[in-house]
């Protein structure tokens, strides 16, 4: 079956403008253009659009989706299996949060007592699970099982006050880094403050700190596509800028 822009948009729940934009950036080309100049999409394009929407649902930006889907190693079937695992992980997170909300309601109504630790237990469990799933293999290879286990234990035992502080720190790192990037000097005062804040944030997760490990992590932010995409989401080049700032901060590069 074939679809025009209007029909495919209605089928997928996206606007014709979005489909035209996907065509312009080379993410989703129509199968052909008919004699009247209309874009025509076939079954392959429908499947490709489904993949794109799966990736969008998982929070990936269009540049990263395009890099993934135009890679020679891209496997549609494997991508679907990965989507399934990631969606199941999101469902587990929602289940944890729902259970946490239900306990909080019961505590507010006086039917149970809830400790401060229980109030954000679901967040910590999910964070540990996500870290293991997404980065566990690399972390264990780079730092060893003992270090990763100690890091997970530190996170699991985090107090409510510590959890609130590390969340606040993460936001401050992001804001300070964005402003420092606009100034453009990784050795500047603001960039070095971002590096210091990043160190303070790391100390909530790492069992111990070393300048070498900090510098190595900063390099991984550039080398690993997942980290680079996270830091470059709003402004391309941010991952490299943070790497440079941390290398200057730790003395890995002068």
């Amino acid at each position: 079956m074939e679809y025009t822009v209007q029909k495919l948009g209605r089928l997928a729940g996206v606007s014709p403008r979005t489909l035209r934009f996907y065509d312009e950036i080379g993410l989703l080309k129509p199968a052909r253009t008919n004699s009247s100049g209309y874009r025509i999409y076939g079954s392959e394009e429908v499947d490709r659009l489904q993949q794109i929407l799966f990736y969008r649902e998982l929070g990936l930006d269009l540049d990263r989706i395009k890099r993934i889907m135009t890679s020679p190693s891209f496997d549609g079937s494997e991508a679907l299996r990965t989507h399934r695992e990631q969606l199941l992980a999101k469902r587990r997170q929602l289940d944890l949060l729902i259970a946490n909300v239900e306990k909080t309601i019961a505590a507010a109504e006086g039917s149970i007592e809830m400790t401060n630790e229980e109030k954000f237990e679901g967040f910590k469990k999910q964070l540990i699970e996500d870290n293991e799933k997404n980065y566990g293999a690399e972390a264990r290879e780079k730092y060893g099982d003992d270090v990763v286990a100690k890091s997970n234990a530190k996170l699991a035992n985090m107090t409510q006050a510590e959890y609130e502080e590390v969340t606040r720190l993460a936001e401050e790192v992001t804001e300070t880094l964005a402003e420092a990037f606009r100034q453009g000097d990784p050795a500047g005062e603001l960039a070095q403050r971002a590096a210091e804040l990043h160190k303070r944030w790391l100390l909530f997760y790492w069992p111990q700190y070393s300048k070498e490990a900090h510098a190595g992590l900063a390099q991984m932010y550039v080398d690993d596509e997942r980290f680079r995409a996270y830091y470059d989401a709003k402004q391309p080049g941010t991952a490299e800028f943070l790497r440079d700032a941390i290398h200057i901060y730790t003395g890995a590069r002068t």
Side-chain angles (χ1 to χ4, degrees), residues 226-242:
R226 296 164 300 178
F227 286 108
R228 179 190 282 268
Y230 172 79
Y231 282 104
D232 287 2
K234 292 185 178 179
Q235 185 60 58
T238 302
E240 290 187 357
F241 183 87
L242 177 60

Side-chain angles (χ1 to χ4, degrees), residues 10-149:
R10 285 195 296 269
L11 175 70
V14 299
S15 70
R17 181 180 179 182
T18 295
L19 294 176
R20 295 189 189 100
F21 180 66
Y22 288 173
D23 182 7
E24 290 171 7
I25 65 174
L27 182 58
L28 179 65
K29 290 287 186 181
R32 62 185 178 86
T33 302
N34 68 14
S35 59
S36 300
Y38 290 108
R39 295 174 175 87
I40 303 298
Y41 298 85
S43 59
E44 289 186 10
E45 290 71 39
V46 170
D47 290 344
R48 185 174 178 85
L49 178 58
Q50 183 192 37
Q51 292 277 15
I52 293 168
L53 297 181
F54 275 138
Y55 281 124
R56 292 305 306 270
E57 181 65 25
L58 293 169
L60 277 68
D61 61 58
L62 292 178
D63 286 340
R64 187 177 178 196
I65 294 172
K66 184 178 178 180
R67 287 199 301 272
I68 292 171
M69 295 188 66
T70 57
S71 169
S73 61
F74 178 73
D75 183 326
S77 296
E78 180 60 31
L80 285 173
R81 284 190 285 270
T82 301
H83 290 322
R84 180 179 182 276
E85 290 303 315
Q86 291 174 316
L87 289 170
L88 286 172
K90 289 181 70 173
R91 186 172 71 181
R92 287 193 295 271
Q93 180 183 17
L94 286 174
D95 287 342
L96 282 169
L97 294 177
I98 290 169
N100 192 270
V101 169
E102 289 174 343
K103 288 178 68 175
T104 304
I105 292 171
E109 293 174 347
S111 57
I112 66 168
E113 290 186 2
M114 190 177 188
T115 67
N116 287 335
E117 286 73 19
E118 288 177 316
K119 291 177 182 177
F120 64 106
E121 182 179 2
F123 296 100
K124 292 191 296 182
K125 286 183 178 179
Q126 185 59 42
L127 183 56
I128 292 171
E129 183 178 325
D130 287 346
N131 286 343
E132 282 287 351
K133 178 179 177 61
N134 295 324
Y135 313 114
E138 294 94 328
R140 291 177 186 280
E141 181 178 351
K142 189 174 183 66
Y143 302 112
D145 289 338
D146 185 57
V147 171
V148 174

